[in-house]
Amino acid sequence: MSDRDLSDHKQPDAPGAPPVGSSDGDLDLCLHTLIAAWSQRTPDAVAVLYDGHGLSYRELNDRADSLAGRLRQQGVGIGSLVGIAMKRSPDMIVGLLAILKAGGAYVPIDPRLPHERLQFLVSDAHLGVVLTNRRGLAAGDALVIDMDQATREMRNDDRSGSCPEGATVENGDLAYVIYTSGSTGQPKGVMVPHRGVVNWLVWMRNTFEVTSADVVLKKAPLTFDVSAWELFLPLISGARLVLADSDRQHDPAYLAALMAETRVSIAQFVPSLMRSFLEQPELPDLSALRHVMCGGEVLSSTLQSLFFKRLTAEVCNSYGPTECSIGVTRWPCRRDDTRHSVPIGYAIDNTELYILGPDLNPVPPGAAGELFIGGICVGRGYLNRPDLTAETFLPNPFNTAGEARMYRTGDRCRFLPDGSIDFLGRIDDQVKVRGVRIELGEVEKHIQAHDAVEAAAATVDDADGEAVLVAYVIPTAGSALTERDLRSFLRRKLPLAMIPSSFYFVEALPLSANGKVDRKRLKLLRPAVHTVMEPRDNLEWRLCAIWRTVLKDPEIGIQDDFFDSGGDSLLAMNLVLRVESAFKIKVTLDQVLDHFTVEEFA
């Protein structure tokens, strides 16, 4: 196809948008270089704020330099992958910068992961070093560096701030490897270089005019790629980074209070958490908030309207797979917009978007096709998976510069008349729940690994406008399998976000004409009758009221499974906080996971 043929199908620039192909000199630099510059410009300015305590740009840079020297002594250099399994803290930021300064790339690991999955990540990434602040973390053959101890040593080290010279890091070198769900039953690591992340950050900084006066909230898990911009955008701009407590990052009331207290001006929300945030009866003074990024899930027009009713800030809808450096599109939402769906928008700088048919040729404007992404944002591929990389990272026939590639997203989209892009859903079995990308095949494989399971199918349901993961299971003949058995089994293998909220035991799974599970008909297998057992004493009444409030269901009884009734890990944390507040006692998330009816919990 000729260049002329393609130009008829590429989207135009949005009115007023920065020109594609910005020549900003910072695009040639690396993340840690951009951040280190502020330790020279504003050394005493607060870079990181956590729980009332600040860390200056000088302190951040000096500690990172000191730790980088130690990492180099352990053999970390260009191309090295270093695990970081830490609860959120200033030390986590020091660790991330140190890894980058040493020439390595960080591999974020949730320290609460089941042992089996954590060991898989350490082994698959061939990690030689893991930074952690979790006591007793087992990381196979990797050297585990206790960051609490390392921080004490750095504070007492007269050489703090010295960083032995190593090989020069270039912006084509890896910045991080983030693992996402894999359809084969095992997660896969996405390799992302500095240049793509810097491109997104520079675009954000220029578009939203981020300055040293801004305050940016960090609340997304480090294993979620949007956390990279939350972390690095303020630090490359001389602004202030506010860290939310890891254990309360899903608590809307806590987040609102923190944002008001620290005068947060820029924040990010996935739509599901944004809804909970905006539905609070009272919001504190958030007049400092001027911009919110929204992504990770579909933003509905209803939620967009609610945002503008509750807040004076602007909101931008964005889209971007982990494989393409955080974000690739932007759509500035409008208060007077009456359309029924919110577009994902236009390409950002140095990014190319194509909507192609099965023959990999552009479809006509307005027609549905698969979205492909090209440009500086495209990652390097999947770690140790050349086969999967070749399937999804294809030569770009529309860009003849060098060895340009484009990423096959698996997302169905179409160009709207104004050149923006409308997201229509997936063309495969990948789903997003609370912003977390999940391959249904991986969930099914782990369920089917249970000895008492003959077959299983996972899918998502719509619960009050939000996606909920559910599973349908055929137990083996004669087994006495229970939901508790399955939850306990999966908790040893999967992150909480990948464990279905509900399990339905069935005799058979509906099949399509080609013999595959017909996911659209799974819902028909559910039992239709539900009997509510009312509370029997004051304690059960109080707990039941909390259960009903969190689940937004007045029909919850004392024997109804919290997760089977639409609960998930985010709502479970909300439940914990409400029980603690009501009864003035300490409650753990594990207690909810082990006792998920009011009757048992009481």
Side-chain angles (χ1 to χ4, degrees):
M1 171 166 284
S2 69
D3 292 342
R4 174 60 182 165
D5 291 332
L6 177 63
S7 67
D8 291 337
H9 297 283
K10 292 176 71 174
Q11 108 295 331
D13 289 343
V20 173
S22 168
S23 59
D24 194 310
D26 286 350
L27 293 179
D28 297 326
L29 302 178
C30 295
L31 288 168
H32 55 284
T33 309
L34 292 168
I35 296 169
W38 285 98
S39 69
Q40 300 296 322
R41 297 177 196 168
T42 57
D44 298 321
V46 175
V48 182
L49 185 65
Y50 177 69
D51 196 23
H53 302 285
L55 192 67
S56 72
Y57 273 91
R58 178 191 287 116
E59 291 170 322
L60 175 63
N61 190 67
D62 286 353
R63 290 188 193 178
D65 277 346
S66 180
L67 181 58
R70 179 172 177 179
L71 291 175
R72 284 177 180 161
Q73 292 172 0
Q74 297 298 330
V76 175
I78 305 298
S80 299
L81 300 185
V82 180
I84 183 160
M86 299 182 65
K87 289 187 65 174
R88 194 171 301 135
S89 69
D91 285 346
M92 184 187 79
I93 314 302
V94 171
L96 290 171
L97 282 184
I99 293 169
L100 298 177
K101 283 173 173 282
Y106 67 87
V107 181
I109 299 173
D110 186 343
R112 299 167 297 182
L113 279 179
H115 177 76
E116 181 179 317
R117 196 172 185 88
L118 190 151
Q119 292 304 311
F120 170 82
L121 299 185
V122 172
S123 174
D124 188 70
H126 302 295
L127 300 181
V129 179
V130 175
L131 307 181
T132 189
N133 53 10
R134 173 184 168 185
R135 292 183 179 180
L137 183 81
D141 296 330
L143 170 68
V144 176
I145 295 180
D146 184 331
M147 281 296 291
D148 291 335
Q149 179 180 342
T151 298
R152 289 192 295 269
E153 293 173 355
M154 285 187 283
R155 285 172 177 164
N156 298 325
D157 189 350
D158 293 336
R159 297 169 298 168
S160 180
S162 63
C163 181
E165 290 297 324
T168 301
V169 185
E170 299 180 352
N171 73 345
D173 293 321
L174 290 182
Y176 57 76
V177 173
I178 287 185
Y179 276 80
T180 68
S181 181
S183 59
T184 61
Q186 296 288 8
K188 55 186 183 291
V190 180
M191 299 184 288
V192 178
H194 284 261
R195 60 177 173 238
V197 183
V198 169
N199 184 66
W200 171 257
L201 294 175
V202 169
W203 170 80
M204 285 194 73
R205 185 186 65 189
N206 294 345
T207 302
F208 305 126
E209 300 179 336
V210 184
T211 71
S212 58
D214 278 300
V215 180
V216 181
L217 177 66
K218 165 74 180 81
K219 61 175 180 53
L222 195 59
T223 52
F224 189 22
D225 68 334
V226 76
S227 70
W229 84 250
E230 288 182 331
L231 285 170
F232 298 127
L233 177 65
L235 298 181
I236 72 161
S237 309
R240 181 174 299 185
L241 170 64
V242 172
L243 303 179
D245 189 292
S246 297
D247 294 330
R248 307 189 70 186
Q249 63 193 21
H250 297 310
D251 178 1
Y254 161 75
L255 292 175
L258 177 65
M259 291 168 66
E261 177 187 354
T262 58
R263 304 289 291 170
V264 165
S265 58
I266 300 174
Q268 183 273 340
F269 282 90
V270 294
S272 50
L273 182 56
M274 180 190 285
R275 181 180 296 278
S276 299
F277 185 87
L278 296 174
E279 286 179 344
Q280 297 178 84
E282 299 291 336
L283 286 173
D285 177 12
L286 296 175
S287 57
L289 184 65
R290 66 183 186 88
H291 195 84
V292 171
M293 290 293 287
C294 189
E297 298 171 336
V298 174
L299 174 62
S300 69
S301 56
T302 303
L303 184 55
Q304 175 183 254
S305 298
L306 179 61
F307 179 94
F308 286 128
K309 287 179 181 177
R310 299 301 308 273
L311 298 174
T312 58
E314 298 302 317
V315 60
C316 179
N317 193 28
S318 66
Y319 161 92
T322 304
E323 289 82 352
C324 291
S325 308
I326 308 174
V328 298
T329 73
R330 84 288 190 198
W331 175 259
C333 297
R334 300 192 295 265
R335 295 178 182 271
D336 59 352
D337 197 345
T338 58
R339 69 182 75 203
H340 295 298
S341 63
V342 181
I344 58 175
Y346 307 93
I348 69 161
D349 293 357
N350 306 304
T351 300
E352 304 145 17
L353 303 178
Y354 313 98
I355 298 179
L356 309 179
D359 57 359
L360 299 188
N361 282 318
V363 300
E370 183 176 359
L371 180 64
F372 288 72
I373 302 169
I376 196 173
C377 63
V378 178
R380 192 178 292 179
Y382 298 110
L383 182 67
N384 303 323
R385 295 295 304 275
D387 54 338
L388 189 56
T389 298
E391 290 177 12
T392 51
F393 291 81
L394 309 179
N396 188 344
F398 312 115
N399 186 335
T400 57
E403 298 181 355
R405 296 180 304 156
M406 59 182 184
Y407 172 67
R408 176 174 223 150
T409 67
D411 289 328
R412 291 180 66 249
C413 297
R414 62 175 178 169
F415 279 121
L416 296 173
D418 61 0
S420 66
I421 292 178
D422 189 22
F423 177 82
L424 302 175
R426 292 290 299 177
I427 62 174
D428 58 15
D429 293 332
Q430 185 186 107
V431 298
K432 275 200 172 183
V433 178
R434 302 284 187 183
V436 178
R437 197 167 91 184
I438 298 173
E439 294 280 359
L440 295 176
E442 182 175 3
V443 176
E444 292 167 349
K445 287 179 185 296
H446 280 286
I447 296 174
Q448 289 168 173
H450 193 290
D451 291 339
V453 173
E454 179 180 319
T459 188
V460 290
D461 280 352
D462 183 273
D464 194 24
E466 297 178 8
V468 176
L469 185 65
V470 299
Y472 296 81
V473 179
I474 302 177
T476 56
S479 71
L481 184 66
T482 66
E483 289 193 31
R484 184 184 297 276
D485 295 335
L486 278 176
R487 289 193 199 284
S488 177
F489 177 75
L490 293 176
R491 282 177 60 196
R492 298 194 298 269
K493 298 178 175 296
L494 294 173
L496 283 177
M498 293 182 66
I499 299 176
S501 297
S502 304
F503 293 89
Y504 298 97
F505 295 105
V506 297
E507 296 181 357
L509 298 173
L511 302 178
S512 62
N514 61 8
K516 294 184 178 181
V517 173
D518 187 344
R519 300 184 192 278
K520 295 180 180 179
R521 293 166 53 203
L522 286 171
K523 201 168 185 178
L524 300 176
L525 302 177
R526 294 189 184 184
V529 179
H530 174 64
T531 302
V532 177
M533 180 171 287
E534 295 292 343
R536 298 162 297 193
D537 55 38
N538 182 58
L539 175 59
E540 288 184 349
W541 273 111
R542 293 176 67 190
L543 287 173
C544 208
I546 295 174
W547 251 249
R548 290 170 176 175
T549 298
V550 171
L551 294 171
K552 298 179 181 177
D553 185 351
E555 299 299 320
I556 295 296
I558 63 171
Q559 294 183 343
D560 290 327
D561 185 313
F562 177 81
F563 298 95
D564 195 31
S565 302
D568 54 27
S569 56
L570 190 154
L571 291 177
M573 180 56 68
N574 190 348
L575 186 77
V576 166
L577 296 169
R578 288 177 180 270
V579 172
E580 287 183 337
S581 175
F583 291 90
K584 310 303 179 187
I585 59 173
K586 180 64 178 176
V587 178
T588 67
L589 181 60
D590 282 342
Q591 288 172 323
V592 175
L593 298 175
D594 291 334
H595 309 282
F596 35 78
T597 69
V598 169
E599 184 178 52
E600 292 180 357
F601 196 84

